[in-house]
Amino acid sequence: MIRFAIVGCGHIAKKHIEAIRSINHAELVAFCDNNPARLEEFKDTYKIKGYLSLEEMLENEPQIDAVNICVPSGLHANLAIKAASYGKHIIVEKPIALTIEDADSIIEACEKNNVKLTVVHPNRFRPAVIALKEAMDNNLFGKISHANATVRWNRNQAYYDQAAWRGTKDMDGGVLMNQAIHNLDLLLWLVGPVEEVQAYTATRLRNIEAEDVAVATLIFSNGALGVIEAASTIYPKNYEESLSIFGETGSAVIGGTTANWIKHWVFEEVDETDAVALIEKINLDPYGISGHQQIITDFVEAIQQNRSPKVTGEDGKNALKLVLAIYEASERKKPVKLKHL
């Protein structure tokens, strides 16, 4: 049995609680939050021990094996490093951190204390994404010409006004760091490392510090080109999340309001009947098992089997590096090489 504790009793913590309670060999034993009212609400709802600080929780609950970091992004590093120093395995919500220095500090703390680390990028476990990864691994695309990642969603002003930290550069970031980073993780996972970025970002419609719209062009290390479009300004609600890959012998697009459906699937080596059958199969259950449940299930197994999780700290850092490169390219108004980050 792997015993979990959660830091931060906000909206995302509820997904972690639901996932942990649905997994064999996983048990939720405690959570902590520095907001007394929110802590009491969670204690009453979930009937689990609650504490006002991470240190108090770890001192009083030595049986904890793993800690899930579910606080604003700017707080990830301090809390993850503290939990790792107690010998606890770490699950950290996306993004891993807001700076490369903080990401490195988390990774180093986990390595130093010989504990596992995973970052919550659950979209890798979507059925359509798994099919896309298999197509890539089987070289069905041949030589890649280009790839597109698009997030056209709505986060209205009321969303940002829920808490003072939302939309700030020090605690949250904008549409790239908060919403689109999942799609960027998929882009890197599927097509490979990015060598160079040119980009523009803007804060057009929301009263926040960070960007609410961004566009970028990429050169991948394999020579393929890429395009990123991300916006939280779409009226009046979420419209599209998509990932498109085009190659010498294949083309594929997954999309929908969230990227859960196969919209286009044509490969030289795949019979049309088989392609239609795959699309129909995924359409029957496009969401599959909850991504958070799969992330935590994999983490339990990684601890039990003493192996690396499927999503590593370095994976989280790579997605962060791409976002930061987009920010820098936009600020400098010139291309940025990722190697120097």
PDB file of all heavy atoms in Angstrom, residues 149-153 174-177 179-180 184 197-205 210-217 227-234 322-323 325-327 330:
ATOM      1  N   ALA A 149       0.217  22.622 -32.746  1.00  0.00           N
ATOM      2  CA  ALA A 149      -0.464  22.472 -31.459  1.00  0.00           C
ATOM      3  C   ALA A 149      -1.340  23.704 -31.249  1.00  0.00           C
ATOM      4  O   ALA A 149      -0.843  24.837 -31.282  1.00  0.00           O
ATOM      5  CB  ALA A 149       0.540  22.342 -30.323  1.00  0.00           C
ATOM      6  N   THR A 150      -2.639  23.476 -31.033  1.00  0.00           N
ATOM      7  CA  THR A 150      -3.591  24.580 -30.928  1.00  0.00           C
ATOM      8  C   THR A 150      -4.449  24.429 -29.682  1.00  0.00           C
ATOM      9  O   THR A 150      -4.986  23.351 -29.422  1.00  0.00           O
ATOM     10  CB  THR A 150      -4.508  24.615 -32.165  1.00  0.00           C
ATOM     11  OG1 THR A 150      -3.710  24.763 -33.346  1.00  0.00           O
ATOM     12  CG2 THR A 150      -5.492  25.764 -32.082  1.00  0.00           C
ATOM     13  N   VAL A 151      -4.562  25.506 -28.926  1.00  0.00           N
ATOM     14  CA  VAL A 151      -5.477  25.561 -27.783  1.00  0.00           C
ATOM     15  C   VAL A 151      -6.270  26.857 -27.903  1.00  0.00           C
ATOM     16  O   VAL A 151      -5.717  27.952 -27.744  1.00  0.00           O
ATOM     17  CB  VAL A 151      -4.732  25.506 -26.433  1.00  0.00           C
ATOM     18  CG1 VAL A 151      -5.724  25.647 -25.269  1.00  0.00           C
ATOM     19  CG2 VAL A 151      -3.949  24.203 -26.301  1.00  0.00           C
ATOM     20  N   ARG A 152      -7.554  26.730 -28.190  1.00  0.00           N
ATOM     21  CA  ARG A 152      -8.457  27.878 -28.318  1.00  0.00           C
ATOM     22  C   ARG A 152      -9.558  27.724 -27.273  1.00  0.00           C
ATOM     23  O   ARG A 152     -10.603  27.126 -27.523  1.00  0.00           O
ATOM     24  CB  ARG A 152      -9.046  27.933 -29.734  1.00  0.00           C
ATOM     25  CG  ARG A 152      -7.999  28.198 -30.806  1.00  0.00           C
ATOM     26  CD  ARG A 152      -8.545  27.934 -32.203  1.00  0.00           C
ATOM     27  NE  ARG A 152      -7.585  28.338 -33.238  1.00  0.00           N
ATOM     28  CZ  ARG A 152      -7.658  27.941 -34.517  1.00  0.00           C
ATOM     29  NH1 ARG A 152      -8.640  27.133 -34.897  1.00  0.00           N
ATOM     30  NH2 ARG A 152      -6.755  28.340 -35.385  1.00  0.00           N
ATOM     31  N   TRP A 153      -9.290  28.260 -26.110  1.00  0.00           N
ATOM     32  CA  TRP A 153     -10.173  28.074 -24.968  1.00  0.00           C
ATOM     33  C   TRP A 153     -10.623  29.410 -24.406  1.00  0.00           C
ATOM     34  O   TRP A 153     -10.118  30.477 -24.777  1.00  0.00           O
ATOM     35  CB  TRP A 153      -9.457  27.272 -23.872  1.00  0.00           C
ATOM     36  CG  TRP A 153      -9.396  25.797 -24.138  1.00  0.00           C
ATOM     37  CD1 TRP A 153      -9.982  25.113 -25.158  1.00  0.00           C
ATOM     38  CD2 TRP A 153      -8.694  24.830 -23.357  1.00  0.00           C
ATOM     39  NE1 TRP A 153      -9.698  23.773 -25.062  1.00  0.00           N
ATOM     40  CE2 TRP A 153      -8.909  23.569 -23.969  1.00  0.00           C
ATOM     41  CE3 TRP A 153      -7.902  24.888 -22.217  1.00  0.00           C
ATOM     42  CZ2 TRP A 153      -8.370  22.386 -23.456  1.00  0.00           C
ATOM     43  CZ3 TRP A 153      -7.367  23.724 -21.704  1.00  0.00           C
ATOM     44  CH2 TRP A 153      -7.594  22.481 -22.329  1.00  0.00           C
ATOM     45  N   GLY A 174       0.526  32.537 -17.779  1.00  0.00           N
ATOM     46  CA  GLY A 174      -0.638  32.769 -18.627  1.00  0.00           C
ATOM     47  C   GLY A 174      -1.113  31.517 -19.322  1.00  0.00           C
ATOM     48  O   GLY A 174      -0.931  30.402 -18.827  1.00  0.00           O
ATOM     49  N   VAL A 175      -1.707  31.688 -20.516  1.00  0.00           N
ATOM     50  CA  VAL A 175      -2.323  30.578 -21.207  1.00  0.00           C
ATOM     51  C   VAL A 175      -1.309  29.497 -21.583  1.00  0.00           C
ATOM     52  O   VAL A 175      -1.633  28.299 -21.588  1.00  0.00           O
ATOM     53  CB  VAL A 175      -3.089  31.071 -22.457  1.00  0.00           C
ATOM     54  CG1 VAL A 175      -2.152  31.694 -23.493  1.00  0.00           C
ATOM     55  CG2 VAL A 175      -3.895  29.935 -23.080  1.00  0.00           C
ATOM     56  N   LEU A 176      -0.081  29.876 -21.872  1.00  0.00           N
ATOM     57  CA  LEU A 176       0.930  28.875 -22.212  1.00  0.00           C
ATOM     58  C   LEU A 176       1.312  28.027 -21.006  1.00  0.00           C
ATOM     59  O   LEU A 176       1.359  26.799 -21.083  1.00  0.00           O
ATOM     60  CB  LEU A 176       2.183  29.557 -22.769  1.00  0.00           C
ATOM     61  CG  LEU A 176       2.068  30.145 -24.166  1.00  0.00           C
ATOM     62  CD1 LEU A 176       3.255  31.061 -24.455  1.00  0.00           C
ATOM     63  CD2 LEU A 176       1.982  29.043 -25.214  1.00  0.00           C
ATOM     64  N   MET A 177       1.556  28.668 -19.893  1.00  0.00           N
ATOM     65  CA  MET A 177       2.033  27.968 -18.710  1.00  0.00           C
ATOM     66  C   MET A 177       0.912  27.171 -18.035  1.00  0.00           C
ATOM     67  O   MET A 177       1.150  26.110 -17.463  1.00  0.00           O
ATOM     68  CB  MET A 177       2.626  28.979 -17.719  1.00  0.00           C
ATOM     69  CG  MET A 177       3.492  28.358 -16.640  1.00  0.00           C
ATOM     70  SD  MET A 177       5.093  27.783 -17.242  1.00  0.00           S
ATOM     71  CE  MET A 177       6.043  29.312 -17.268  1.00  0.00           C
ATOM     72  N   GLN A 179      -2.686  26.571 -19.340  1.00  0.00           N
ATOM     73  CA  GLN A 179      -3.592  25.740 -20.127  1.00  0.00           C
ATOM     74  C   GLN A 179      -2.868  24.940 -21.224  1.00  0.00           C
ATOM     75  O   GLN A 179      -3.028  23.729 -21.325  1.00  0.00           O
ATOM     76  CB  GLN A 179      -4.699  26.600 -20.769  1.00  0.00           C
ATOM     77  CG  GLN A 179      -5.786  27.043 -19.817  1.00  0.00           C
ATOM     78  CD  GLN A 179      -5.406  28.242 -18.963  1.00  0.00           C
ATOM     79  OE1 GLN A 179      -4.749  29.163 -19.453  1.00  0.00           O
ATOM     80  NE2 GLN A 179      -5.817  28.237 -17.713  1.00  0.00           N
ATOM     81  N   ALA A 180      -2.069  25.615 -22.041  1.00  0.00           N
ATOM     82  CA  ALA A 180      -1.518  24.967 -23.236  1.00  0.00           C
ATOM     83  C   ALA A 180      -0.325  24.066 -22.953  1.00  0.00           C
ATOM     84  O   ALA A 180       0.082  23.298 -23.829  1.00  0.00           O
ATOM     85  CB  ALA A 180      -1.115  26.031 -24.264  1.00  0.00           C
ATOM     86  N   LEU A 184       1.728  21.269 -25.304  1.00  0.00           N
ATOM     87  CA  LEU A 184       3.149  21.417 -25.622  1.00  0.00           C
ATOM     88  C   LEU A 184       3.925  20.184 -25.174  1.00  0.00           C
ATOM     89  O   LEU A 184       4.861  19.748 -25.866  1.00  0.00           O
ATOM     90  CB  LEU A 184       3.708  22.674 -24.956  1.00  0.00           C
ATOM     91  CG  LEU A 184       3.019  23.999 -25.311  1.00  0.00           C
ATOM     92  CD1 LEU A 184       3.843  25.174 -24.804  1.00  0.00           C
ATOM     93  CD2 LEU A 184       2.767  24.122 -26.802  1.00  0.00           C
ATOM     94  N   VAL A 197      12.923  28.819 -31.478  1.00  0.00           N
ATOM     95  CA  VAL A 197      11.566  29.355 -31.345  1.00  0.00           C
ATOM     96  C   VAL A 197      11.539  30.813 -31.770  1.00  0.00           C
ATOM     97  O   VAL A 197      12.443  31.590 -31.441  1.00  0.00           O
ATOM     98  CB  VAL A 197      11.089  29.269 -29.878  1.00  0.00           C
ATOM     99  CG1 VAL A 197       9.758  29.978 -29.687  1.00  0.00           C
ATOM    100  CG2 VAL A 197      10.977  27.822 -29.434  1.00  0.00           C
ATOM    101  N   GLN A 198      10.509  31.203 -32.499  1.00  0.00           N
ATOM    102  CA  GLN A 198      10.164  32.609 -32.727  1.00  0.00           C
ATOM    103  C   GLN A 198       8.719  32.777 -32.270  1.00  0.00           C
ATOM    104  O   GLN A 198       7.884  31.901 -32.531  1.00  0.00           O
ATOM    105  CB  GLN A 198      10.308  32.981 -34.194  1.00  0.00           C
ATOM    106  CG  GLN A 198       9.888  34.409 -34.529  1.00  0.00           C
ATOM    107  CD  GLN A 198      10.715  35.468 -33.812  1.00  0.00           C
ATOM    108  OE1 GLN A 198      10.544  35.681 -32.610  1.00  0.00           O
ATOM    109  NE2 GLN A 198      11.611  36.113 -34.520  1.00  0.00           N
ATOM    110  N   ALA A 199       8.407  33.867 -31.577  1.00  0.00           N
ATOM    111  CA  ALA A 199       7.083  33.936 -30.962  1.00  0.00           C
ATOM    112  C   ALA A 199       6.620  35.357 -30.691  1.00  0.00           C
ATOM    113  O   ALA A 199       7.428  36.306 -30.625  1.00  0.00           O
ATOM    114  CB  ALA A 199       7.100  33.150 -29.644  1.00  0.00           C
ATOM    115  N   TYR A 200       5.315  35.460 -30.500  1.00  0.00           N
ATOM    116  CA  TYR A 200       4.683  36.691 -30.030  1.00  0.00           C
ATOM    117  C   TYR A 200       3.658  36.315 -28.965  1.00  0.00           C
ATOM    118  O   TYR A 200       2.924  35.327 -29.120  1.00  0.00           O
ATOM    119  CB  TYR A 200       3.994  37.441 -31.178  1.00  0.00           C
ATOM    120  CG  TYR A 200       4.940  37.931 -32.231  1.00  0.00           C
ATOM    121  CD1 TYR A 200       5.189  37.163 -33.375  1.00  0.00           C
ATOM    122  CD2 TYR A 200       5.599  39.148 -32.089  1.00  0.00           C
ATOM    123  CE1 TYR A 200       6.074  37.599 -34.352  1.00  0.00           C
ATOM    124  CE2 TYR A 200       6.481  39.589 -33.061  1.00  0.00           C
ATOM    125  CZ  TYR A 200       6.721  38.815 -34.181  1.00  0.00           C
ATOM    126  OH  TYR A 200       7.605  39.257 -35.139  1.00  0.00           O
ATOM    127  N   THR A 201       3.603  37.083 -27.918  1.00  0.00           N
ATOM    128  CA  THR A 201       2.575  36.913 -26.896  1.00  0.00           C
ATOM    129  C   THR A 201       1.938  38.267 -26.623  1.00  0.00           C
ATOM    130  O   THR A 201       2.547  39.313 -26.871  1.00  0.00           O
ATOM    131  CB  THR A 201       3.150  36.349 -25.584  1.00  0.00           C
ATOM    132  OG1 THR A 201       4.058  37.298 -25.015  1.00  0.00           O
ATOM    133  CG2 THR A 201       3.876  35.028 -25.810  1.00  0.00           C
ATOM    134  N   ALA A 202       0.718  38.234 -26.087  1.00  0.00           N
ATOM    135  CA  ALA A 202       0.019  39.488 -25.780  1.00  0.00           C
ATOM    136  C   ALA A 202      -0.998  39.240 -24.673  1.00  0.00           C
ATOM    137  O   ALA A 202      -1.428  38.108 -24.437  1.00  0.00           O
ATOM    138  CB  ALA A 202      -0.689  40.035 -27.024  1.00  0.00           C
ATOM    139  N   THR A 203      -1.350  40.323 -24.015  1.00  0.00           N
ATOM    140  CA  THR A 203      -2.460  40.298 -23.055  1.00  0.00           C
ATOM    141  C   THR A 203      -3.530  41.211 -23.644  1.00  0.00           C
ATOM    142  O   THR A 203      -3.481  42.429 -23.482  1.00  0.00           O
ATOM    143  CB  THR A 203      -2.006  40.793 -21.672  1.00  0.00           C
ATOM    144  OG1 THR A 203      -0.829  40.073 -21.277  1.00  0.00           O
ATOM    145  CG2 THR A 203      -3.104  40.581 -20.634  1.00  0.00           C
ATOM    146  N   ARG A 204      -4.474  40.603 -24.334  1.00  0.00           N
ATOM    147  CA  ARG A 204      -5.423  41.357 -25.147  1.00  0.00           C
ATOM    148  C   ARG A 204      -6.735  41.660 -24.436  1.00  0.00           C
ATOM    149  O   ARG A 204      -7.249  42.765 -24.527  1.00  0.00           O
ATOM    150  CB  ARG A 204      -5.723  40.589 -26.436  1.00  0.00           C
ATOM    151  CG  ARG A 204      -4.531  40.447 -27.377  1.00  0.00           C
ATOM    152  CD  ARG A 204      -4.177  41.759 -28.024  1.00  0.00           C
ATOM    153  NE  ARG A 204      -5.256  42.236 -28.883  1.00  0.00           N
ATOM    154  CZ  ARG A 204      -5.361  43.476 -29.326  1.00  0.00           C
ATOM    155  NH1 ARG A 204      -4.469  44.396 -28.956  1.00  0.00           N
ATOM    156  NH2 ARG A 204      -6.366  43.825 -30.119  1.00  0.00           N
ATOM    157  N   LEU A 205      -7.290  40.660 -23.741  1.00  0.00           N
ATOM    158  CA  LEU A 205      -8.654  40.818 -23.249  1.00  0.00           C
ATOM    159  C   LEU A 205      -8.813  40.662 -21.741  1.00  0.00           C
ATOM    160  O   LEU A 205      -9.808  41.123 -21.185  1.00  0.00           O
ATOM    161  CB  LEU A 205      -9.585  39.806 -23.938  1.00  0.00           C
ATOM    162  CG  LEU A 205      -9.633  39.860 -25.469  1.00  0.00           C
ATOM    163  CD1 LEU A 205     -10.648  38.849 -25.990  1.00  0.00           C
ATOM    164  CD2 LEU A 205      -9.978  41.269 -25.960  1.00  0.00           C
ATOM    165  N   ALA A 210       0.048  38.112 -17.003  1.00  0.00           N
ATOM    166  CA  ALA A 210       0.600  37.206 -17.998  1.00  0.00           C
ATOM    167  C   ALA A 210      -0.209  37.268 -19.298  1.00  0.00           C
ATOM    168  O   ALA A 210      -1.196  37.996 -19.409  1.00  0.00           O
ATOM    169  CB  ALA A 210       0.633  35.782 -17.442  1.00  0.00           C
ATOM    170  N   GLU A 211       0.212  36.487 -20.283  1.00  0.00           N
ATOM    171  CA  GLU A 211      -0.401  36.524 -21.608  1.00  0.00           C
ATOM    172  C   GLU A 211      -1.732  35.770 -21.632  1.00  0.00           C
ATOM    173  O   GLU A 211      -1.904  34.763 -20.935  1.00  0.00           O
ATOM    174  CB  GLU A 211       0.567  35.937 -22.643  1.00  0.00           C
ATOM    175  CG  GLU A 211       0.597  34.425 -22.772  1.00  0.00           C
ATOM    176  CD  GLU A 211       1.231  33.690 -21.601  1.00  0.00           C
ATOM    177  OE1 GLU A 211       1.911  34.335 -20.774  1.00  0.00           O
ATOM    178  OE2 GLU A 211       1.054  32.459 -21.501  1.00  0.00           O
ATOM    179  N   ASP A 212      -2.648  36.262 -22.452  1.00  0.00           N
ATOM    180  CA  ASP A 212      -3.877  35.513 -22.697  1.00  0.00           C
ATOM    181  C   ASP A 212      -3.953  34.991 -24.135  1.00  0.00           C
ATOM    182  O   ASP A 212      -4.889  34.281 -24.485  1.00  0.00           O
ATOM    183  CB  ASP A 212      -5.124  36.315 -22.327  1.00  0.00           C
ATOM    184  CG  ASP A 212      -5.270  37.628 -23.108  1.00  0.00           C
ATOM    185  OD1 ASP A 212      -4.554  37.814 -24.115  1.00  0.00           O
ATOM    186  OD2 ASP A 212      -6.092  38.469 -22.704  1.00  0.00           O
ATOM    187  N   VAL A 213      -2.953  35.321 -24.962  1.00  0.00           N
ATOM    188  CA  VAL A 213      -2.877  34.787 -26.317  1.00  0.00           C
ATOM    189  C   VAL A 213      -1.406  34.723 -26.732  1.00  0.00           C
ATOM    190  O   VAL A 213      -0.600  35.580 -26.344  1.00  0.00           O
ATOM    191  CB  VAL A 213      -3.701  35.648 -27.307  1.00  0.00           C
ATOM    192  CG1 VAL A 213      -3.174  37.073 -27.382  1.00  0.00           C
ATOM    193  CG2 VAL A 213      -3.732  35.013 -28.694  1.00  0.00           C
ATOM    194  N   ALA A 214      -1.064  33.684 -27.486  1.00  0.00           N
ATOM    195  CA  ALA A 214       0.327  33.513 -27.913  1.00  0.00           C
ATOM    196  C   ALA A 214       0.367  32.730 -29.220  1.00  0.00           C
ATOM    197  O   ALA A 214      -0.457  31.840 -29.459  1.00  0.00           O
ATOM    198  CB  ALA A 214       1.125  32.767 -26.847  1.00  0.00           C
ATOM    199  N   VAL A 215       1.322  33.090 -30.072  1.00  0.00           N
ATOM    200  CA  VAL A 215       1.599  32.323 -31.282  1.00  0.00           C
ATOM    201  C   VAL A 215       3.109  32.130 -31.382  1.00  0.00           C
ATOM    202  O   VAL A 215       3.885  32.995 -30.975  1.00  0.00           O
ATOM    203  CB  VAL A 215       1.068  33.018 -32.554  1.00  0.00           C
ATOM    204  CG1 VAL A 215      -0.457  33.073 -32.536  1.00  0.00           C
ATOM    205  CG2 VAL A 215       1.653  34.410 -32.702  1.00  0.00           C
ATOM    206  N   ALA A 216       3.507  30.972 -31.901  1.00  0.00           N
ATOM    207  CA  ALA A 216       4.941  30.691 -32.013  1.00  0.00           C
ATOM    208  C   ALA A 216       5.198  29.779 -33.197  1.00  0.00           C
ATOM    209  O   ALA A 216       4.346  28.968 -33.573  1.00  0.00           O
ATOM    210  CB  ALA A 216       5.452  30.032 -30.734  1.00  0.00           C
ATOM    211  N   THR A 217       6.375  29.926 -33.777  1.00  0.00           N
ATOM    212  CA  THR A 217       6.851  28.997 -34.795  1.00  0.00           C
ATOM    213  C   THR A 217       8.097  28.306 -34.267  1.00  0.00           C
ATOM    214  O   THR A 217       8.891  28.911 -33.534  1.00  0.00           O
ATOM    215  CB  THR A 217       7.162  29.708 -36.121  1.00  0.00           C
ATOM    216  OG1 THR A 217       8.077  30.792 -35.872  1.00  0.00           O
ATOM    217  CG2 THR A 217       5.891  30.266 -36.734  1.00  0.00           C
ATOM    218  N   VAL A 227       4.041  24.902 -35.381  1.00  0.00           N
ATOM    219  CA  VAL A 227       3.273  26.104 -35.094  1.00  0.00           C
ATOM    220  C   VAL A 227       2.483  25.880 -33.804  1.00  0.00           C
ATOM    221  O   VAL A 227       1.859  24.829 -33.627  1.00  0.00           O
ATOM    222  CB  VAL A 227       2.290  26.444 -36.229  1.00  0.00           C
ATOM    223  CG1 VAL A 227       1.432  27.639 -35.855  1.00  0.00           C
ATOM    224  CG2 VAL A 227       3.034  26.699 -37.535  1.00  0.00           C
ATOM    225  N   ILE A 228       2.530  26.870 -32.923  1.00  0.00           N
ATOM    226  CA  ILE A 228       1.752  26.845 -31.688  1.00  0.00           C
ATOM    227  C   ILE A 228       0.817  28.046 -31.685  1.00  0.00           C
ATOM    228  O   ILE A 228       1.232  29.163 -31.984  1.00  0.00           O
ATOM    229  CB  ILE A 228       2.661  26.902 -30.444  1.00  0.00           C
ATOM    230  CG1 ILE A 228       3.487  25.619 -30.322  1.00  0.00           C
ATOM    231  CG2 ILE A 228       1.844  27.132 -29.169  1.00  0.00           C
ATOM    232  CD1 ILE A 228       4.599  25.712 -29.288  1.00  0.00           C
ATOM    233  N   GLU A 229      -0.448  27.796 -31.371  1.00  0.00           N
ATOM    234  CA  GLU A 229      -1.409  28.872 -31.133  1.00  0.00           C
ATOM    235  C   GLU A 229      -2.115  28.566 -29.826  1.00  0.00           C
ATOM    236  O   GLU A 229      -2.664  27.462 -29.658  1.00  0.00           O
ATOM    237  CB  GLU A 229      -2.437  28.976 -32.259  1.00  0.00           C
ATOM    238  CG  GLU A 229      -3.502  30.037 -32.002  1.00  0.00           C
ATOM    239  CD  GLU A 229      -4.693  29.918 -32.935  1.00  0.00           C
ATOM    240  OE1 GLU A 229      -4.556  29.295 -34.010  1.00  0.00           O
ATOM    241  OE2 GLU A 229      -5.771  30.437 -32.577  1.00  0.00           O
ATOM    242  N   ALA A 230      -2.093  29.500 -28.891  1.00  0.00           N
ATOM    243  CA  ALA A 230      -2.737  29.284 -27.601  1.00  0.00           C
ATOM    244  C   ALA A 230      -3.465  30.553 -27.182  1.00  0.00           C
ATOM    245  O   ALA A 230      -2.904  31.650 -27.259  1.00  0.00           O
ATOM    246  CB  ALA A 230      -1.711  28.910 -26.543  1.00  0.00           C
ATOM    247  N   ALA A 231      -4.715  30.396 -26.751  1.00  0.00           N
ATOM    248  CA  ALA A 231      -5.493  31.558 -26.329  1.00  0.00           C
ATOM    249  C   ALA A 231      -6.495  31.150 -25.269  1.00  0.00           C
ATOM    250  O   ALA A 231      -7.079  30.067 -25.333  1.00  0.00           O
ATOM    251  CB  ALA A 231      -6.234  32.173 -27.519  1.00  0.00           C
ATOM    252  N   SER A 232      -6.685  32.030 -24.295  1.00  0.00           N
ATOM    253  CA  SER A 232      -7.756  31.858 -23.307  1.00  0.00           C
ATOM    254  C   SER A 232      -8.839  32.906 -23.542  1.00  0.00           C
ATOM    255  O   SER A 232      -9.651  33.174 -22.670  1.00  0.00           O
ATOM    256  CB  SER A 232      -7.196  31.983 -21.890  1.00  0.00           C
ATOM    257  OG  SER A 232      -6.554  33.232 -21.713  1.00  0.00           O
ATOM    258  N   THR A 233      -8.861  33.471 -24.737  1.00  0.00           N
ATOM    259  CA  THR A 233      -9.741  34.601 -25.062  1.00  0.00           C
ATOM    260  C   THR A 233     -10.928  34.225 -25.945  1.00  0.00           C
ATOM    261  O   THR A 233     -11.669  35.104 -26.403  1.00  0.00           O
ATOM    262  CB  THR A 233      -8.936  35.686 -25.796  1.00  0.00           C
ATOM    263  OG1 THR A 233      -8.363  35.105 -26.981  1.00  0.00           O
ATOM    264  CG2 THR A 233      -7.827  36.238 -24.922  1.00  0.00           C
ATOM    265  N   ILE A 234     -11.115  32.952 -26.223  1.00  0.00           N
ATOM    266  CA  ILE A 234     -12.132  32.536 -27.192  1.00  0.00           C
ATOM    267  C   ILE A 234     -13.529  32.764 -26.613  1.00  0.00           C
ATOM    268  O   ILE A 234     -13.841  32.295 -25.513  1.00  0.00           O
ATOM    269  CB  ILE A 234     -11.942  31.065 -27.575  1.00  0.00           C
ATOM    270  CG1 ILE A 234     -10.507  30.824 -28.081  1.00  0.00           C
ATOM    271  CG2 ILE A 234     -12.962  30.653 -28.624  1.00  0.00           C
ATOM    272  CD1 ILE A 234     -10.066  31.719 -29.206  1.00  0.00           C
ATOM    273  N   LEU A 322      10.232  25.064 -23.059  1.00  0.00           N
ATOM    274  CA  LEU A 322       9.614  25.537 -24.292  1.00  0.00           C
ATOM    275  C   LEU A 322       8.772  26.788 -24.025  1.00  0.00           C
ATOM    276  O   LEU A 322       8.836  27.759 -24.787  1.00  0.00           O
ATOM    277  CB  LEU A 322       8.760  24.434 -24.913  1.00  0.00           C
ATOM    278  CG  LEU A 322       8.027  24.785 -26.209  1.00  0.00           C
ATOM    279  CD1 LEU A 322       8.974  25.341 -27.256  1.00  0.00           C
ATOM    280  CD2 LEU A 322       7.284  23.560 -26.741  1.00  0.00           C
ATOM    281  N   VAL A 323       7.995  26.781 -22.953  1.00  0.00           N
ATOM    282  CA  VAL A 323       7.203  27.968 -22.617  1.00  0.00           C
ATOM    283  C   VAL A 323       8.104  29.166 -22.363  1.00  0.00           C
ATOM    284  O   VAL A 323       7.853  30.277 -22.875  1.00  0.00           O
ATOM    285  CB  VAL A 323       6.310  27.706 -21.386  1.00  0.00           C
ATOM    286  CG1 VAL A 323       5.625  28.993 -20.934  1.00  0.00           C
ATOM    287  CG2 VAL A 323       5.268  26.641 -21.697  1.00  0.00           C
ATOM    288  N   ALA A 325      11.079  29.700 -23.477  1.00  0.00           N
ATOM    289  CA  ALA A 325      11.696  30.126 -24.732  1.00  0.00           C
ATOM    290  C   ALA A 325      10.717  30.982 -25.545  1.00  0.00           C
ATOM    291  O   ALA A 325      11.120  31.969 -26.179  1.00  0.00           O
ATOM    292  CB  ALA A 325      12.132  28.912 -25.540  1.00  0.00           C
ATOM    293  N   ILE A 326       9.437  30.610 -25.522  1.00  0.00           N
ATOM    294  CA  ILE A 326       8.420  31.418 -26.209  1.00  0.00           C
ATOM    295  C   ILE A 326       8.337  32.800 -25.574  1.00  0.00           C
ATOM    296  O   ILE A 326       8.279  33.823 -26.277  1.00  0.00           O
ATOM    297  CB  ILE A 326       7.061  30.703 -26.186  1.00  0.00           C
ATOM    298  CG1 ILE A 326       7.118  29.427 -27.032  1.00  0.00           C
ATOM    299  CG2 ILE A 326       5.952  31.628 -26.691  1.00  0.00           C
ATOM    300  CD1 ILE A 326       5.907  28.537 -26.903  1.00  0.00           C
ATOM    301  N   TYR A 327       8.326  32.852 -24.251  1.00  0.00           N
ATOM    302  CA  TYR A 327       8.307  34.147 -23.559  1.00  0.00           C
ATOM    303  C   TYR A 327       9.511  35.002 -23.959  1.00  0.00           C
ATOM    304  O   TYR A 327       9.385  36.187 -24.257  1.00  0.00           O
ATOM    305  CB  TYR A 327       8.325  33.934 -22.042  1.00  0.00           C
ATOM    306  CG  TYR A 327       7.038  33.440 -21.434  1.00  0.00           C
ATOM    307  CD1 TYR A 327       7.036  32.912 -20.148  1.00  0.00           C
ATOM    308  CD2 TYR A 327       5.826  33.509 -22.114  1.00  0.00           C
ATOM    309  CE1 TYR A 327       5.861  32.465 -19.556  1.00  0.00           C
ATOM    310  CE2 TYR A 327       4.656  33.059 -21.532  1.00  0.00           C
ATOM    311  CZ  TYR A 327       4.677  32.537 -20.252  1.00  0.00           C
ATOM    312  OH  TYR A 327       3.517  32.100 -19.666  1.00  0.00           O
ATOM    313  N   SER A 330       9.376  36.252 -27.576  1.00  0.00           N
ATOM    314  CA  SER A 330       8.409  37.335 -27.706  1.00  0.00           C
ATOM    315  C   SER A 330       8.977  38.641 -27.164  1.00  0.00           C
ATOM    316  O   SER A 330       8.826  39.707 -27.777  1.00  0.00           O
ATOM    317  CB  SER A 330       7.123  36.971 -26.955  1.00  0.00           C
ATOM    318  OG  SER A 330       6.209  38.046 -26.966  1.00  0.00           O
TER     319      SER A 330
END
